[in-house]
Amino acid sequence: MKLSDAQVERLSLHTAFAVHQIARWIASRDDVPGDIRERLRGHISAFEGVLVASGHDWIKDEIEATEAALQV
C-alpha cells in the first residue's frame, strides 16, 4: 500500500497525538521507571518541535505540561 504525502502527514500527526496521550497517562503514575519516563519525555519534546513547526502550536502548552510531569 502506498500512502500519499497528505496521508503520511495525517498518520504522523495522529500517532504523535496518541503517544502524547499515553505519555500524559504515564506521567500520572508512580510505578513507571525513571529511564522510561526520561526517554518518553525526549520523544514528546521532539514531537512538540515538529508540531509547532508545522503550525500545530495550539497543543504546545499541553505538551510542555506533559514533559514537565514526566521529569524524574
Side-chain angles (χ1 to χ4, degrees):
M1 172 165 81
K2 176 75 173 147
L3 299 176
S4 69
D5 288 345
Q7 290 171 316
V8 170
E9 182 177 346
R10 186 174 174 156
L11 178 62
S12 298
L13 286 171
H14 281 282
T15 302
F17 293 140
V19 170
H20 175 249
Q21 293 303 310
I22 294 165
R24 283 181 52 197
W25 177 76
I26 286 174
S28 72
R29 301 192 48 91
D30 295 330
D31 61 345
V32 177
D35 63 319
I36 292 174
R37 296 170 71 90
E38 185 63 28
R39 290 180 72 188
L40 187 55
R41 191 168 69 85
H43 290 300
I44 294 300
S45 178
F47 284 161
E48 176 190 1
V50 172
L51 290 171
V52 170
S54 64
H56 296 280
D57 57 346
W58 56 270
I59 197 166
K60 185 177 186 341
D61 292 339
E62 186 176 337
I63 289 179
E64 287 178 350
T66 301
E67 286 177 70
L70 285 168
Q71 295 227 7
V72 185

